[in-house]
Amino acid sequence: MAYFICSSCNYGSASWIGKCPGCGEWNTFVQKQDEKQITKKKASPTQFSTLKKIGKSSVRQSMGMFEFDRVLGGGIIAGEVVLLSGEPGIGKSTLLLQIIKNNVAIYVSGEESLEQVQHRAERLHADIGHILFSDGANVDQILSGIEEQKKPHLVILDSIQTLYTNDVETPPGSINQIKEVMNRVIPFAKKSGIPFLVIGHVTKDGDLAGPKTLEHMVDCVLSLEGDTSSPFRILRSTKNRFGSVDEIGVFEMKEDGLHEVNSATALLDITQKREVGKAIVGVCEGNRPMFLEVQALAVPTTFSMPRRVAKGIDFNRVQLLIAIAKKYLNLKLDSYDIYFNVIGGVRVTSPLADAGIIAALYSSVLSKTISTNQVFIGEVGLLGEIRSGFLGKKAYTEAKRLGLKPLEPLGFSSIKDIKKFIVSS
Ligand code: TYD
Ligand code: MG
């Protein structure tokens, strides 16, 4: 009997279905062979090697940008396949063009013509005379073409959504094409030892446009985040087989491309004016201490269900922190619409921002400010207790070094003590 499964989420069905009931994707069902029909032959034996032997593959190649290398775990590994995702216009092509100016690379762009790429390179003052370019889109031809070249340090594919193989009938960008293209790129990279950086667009919800399995297939997934209205961009690793995840790199988009930002306070307003609803949080994103401004606005609501809007902070976290503030600070928050924003268009994922988020909210509800340079570092628990842990201490030490005023780690043990830091109207 024929059996069909979804190539995106493995949902099984006896008949072919256009839209998968499991994940909602279209045209993902493929026929699977009946297991009984698979004859079991003796397979050729696997060759094992000792773990002691360190091959060439563990040597990391620098991308010529410290912030990029850091997110990769210290550079790229031979044969590694990295997926770089991000919204259109965020700066993915710019970032990779800046990287290849430091490397002997092949750049394949189905997105832009040679002229457009040359234009961008001029803007970046990048000498790209040594780069081999193609605007081809047939992945099989591209890989054979690469084989004929002297081994490049790096291959860039911009983007996975424009590539195709003639062996799949659906158009470029469809799930089956994306998967099949990756199925060819990955073994090629492993066999040749050439690292690949592959750009992938994301949908409006922030999901990678393509099957989830794509993320499982590659070695490393990086996302370039930010708000196009702000110049700052965060490069974050969400999966890394050769390094730690949640490591970040910070960049600033200028007239001549992305510049590395290594100061932990780059995103702060240097005047540090006191303002109602503003708090500075100290966090560690990955291993890197960072100081960010969180703003809260609480206004009396006219809705039966008050509004909660959060930009740059996880919405569930916000709901939880509002509940904690209601309980332990006795705030009547059901009668307020509440808005949160993190300045610089960045997203904060560390729970160490909790105390500062509540402080900003408290400041807005009371219409009072928080003392200048006060930095909040602390995760808030369900009992209103504050914790800072190892990463909190790291952020604390860095804040001290920068002349900010962090709370002593565990300097206040309950969120109730936050009242101490509110100074005036
Ligand atoms: P781009 O790299 O094309 O984005 P993506 O590949 O992610 O779609 O970057 C596009 C934006 O970056 C565009 O709005 C212009 C801006 N930009 C600069 O501000 N400075 C620069 O030097 C360059 C090359 C682009
Ligand atoms: Mg682009």
Side-chain angles (χ1 to χ4, degrees), residues 132-178:
L132 293 172
F133 176 86
S134 161
D135 59 3
N138 181 319
V139 72
D140 301 303
Q141 292 176 357
I142 291 165
L143 296 179
S144 323
I146 294 170
E147 237 168 353
E148 289 191 356
Q149 296 298 326
K150 204 167 144 260
K151 189 176 164 184
H153 291 173
L154 191 64
V155 173
I156 292 189
L157 304 177
D158 186 0
S159 64
I160 182 91
Q161 277 91 358
T162 59
L163 298 175
Y164 69 92
T165 163
N166 282 331
D167 299 338
V168 175
E169 279 169 10
T170 51
S174 63
I175 291 171
N176 288 345
Q177 279 289 4
I178 288 177

Side-chain angles (χ1 to χ4, degrees), residues 24 40 71 79 111 123 168 224 286 292-293 346 352 363 398 413:
K40 289 192 176 146
V71 180
E111 297 268 338
R123 195 169 167 187
V168 175
L224 189 61
L292 299 166
E293 178 179 330
V346 300
L352 288 173
S363 157
E398 184 66 9
S413 56

Side-chain angles (χ1 to χ4, degrees), residues 88-94 120 123-124 253-257:
I90 202 74
K92 301 179 294 298
S93 304
T94 304
R120 180 180 285 123
R123 195 169 167 187
L124 301 172
M253 180 68 92
K254 294 192 178 163
E255 261 310 293
D256 57 348

Side-chain angles (χ1 to χ4, degrees), residues 248-312:
I248 65 161
V250 187
F251 298 90
E252 185 177 359
M253 180 68 92
K254 294 192 178 163
E255 261 310 293
D256 57 348
L258 288 158
H259 289 244
E260 300 179 68
V261 171
N262 37 40
S263 151
T265 51
L267 275 67
L268 287 185
D269 167 17
I270 38 164
T271 59
Q272 284 306 325
K273 251 177 57 200
R274 282 194 288 125
E275 248 144 338
V276 166
K278 162 176 161 178
I280 308 296
V281 299
V283 293
C284 269
E285 291 284 345
N287 247 322
R288 179 194 168 114
M290 264 182 85
F291 301 97
L292 299 166
E293 178 179 330
V294 172
Q295 296 185 346
L297 175 66
V299 284
T301 186
T302 51
F303 301 104
S304 53
M305 276 274 283
R307 290 189 58 136
R308 271 79 175 101
V309 180
K311 213 166 137 245

Side-chain angles (χ1 to χ4, degrees), residues 100-289:
I100 54 177
K101 74 176 184 190
N102 305 314
N103 293 277
V104 180
I106 289 182
Y107 188 82
V108 179
S109 176
E111 297 268 338
E112 285 159 349
S113 66
L114 175 60
E115 262 192 351
Q116 282 171 303
V117 175
Q118 278 170 331
H119 243 93
R120 180 180 285 123
E122 235 165 68
R123 195 169 167 187
L124 301 172
H125 309 302
D127 177 11
I128 52 165
H130 59 291
I131 291 162
L132 293 172
F133 176 86
S134 161
D135 59 3
N138 181 319
V139 72
D140 301 303
Q141 292 176 357
I142 291 165
L143 296 179
S144 323
I146 294 170
E147 237 168 353
E148 289 191 356
Q149 296 298 326
K150 204 167 144 260
K151 189 176 164 184
H153 291 173
L154 191 64
V155 173
I156 292 189
L157 304 177
D158 186 0
S159 64
I160 182 91
Q161 277 91 358
T162 59
L163 298 175
Y164 69 92
T165 163
N166 282 331
D167 299 338
V168 175
E169 279 169 10
T170 51
S174 63
I175 291 171
N176 288 345
Q177 279 289 4
I178 288 177
K179 259 187 85 174
E180 197 45 43
V181 166
M182 232 3 153
N183 263 330
R184 289 167 197 222
V185 169
I186 293 171
F188 181 89
K190 301 293 166 216
K191 194 159 161 249
S192 64
I194 303 170
F196 275 68
L197 276 163
V198 185
I199 290 183
H201 294 298
V202 293
T203 61
K204 271 188 244 112
D205 312 329
D207 285 336
L208 204 61
K212 274 264 170 291
T213 40
L214 192 58
E215 294 180 31
H216 300 305
M217 290 162 84
V218 296
D219 298 310
C220 175
V221 180
L222 305 181
S223 68
L224 189 61
E225 306 172 349
D227 192 333
T228 38
S229 61
S230 149
F232 294 103
R233 302 283 180 269
I234 304 273
L235 185 68
R236 197 186 294 272
S237 81
T238 52
K239 167 184 175 173
N240 196 344
R241 285 192 184 141
F242 304 119
S244 57
V245 286
D246 291 328
E247 207 51 78
I248 65 161
V250 187
F251 298 90
E252 185 177 359
M253 180 68 92
K254 294 192 178 163
E255 261 310 293
D256 57 348
L258 288 158
H259 289 244
E260 300 179 68
V261 171
N262 37 40
S263 151
T265 51
L267 275 67
L268 287 185
D269 167 17
I270 38 164
T271 59
Q272 284 306 325
K273 251 177 57 200
R274 282 194 288 125
E275 248 144 338
V276 166
K278 162 176 161 178
I280 308 296
V281 299
V283 293
C284 269
E285 291 284 345
N287 247 322
R288 179 194 168 114

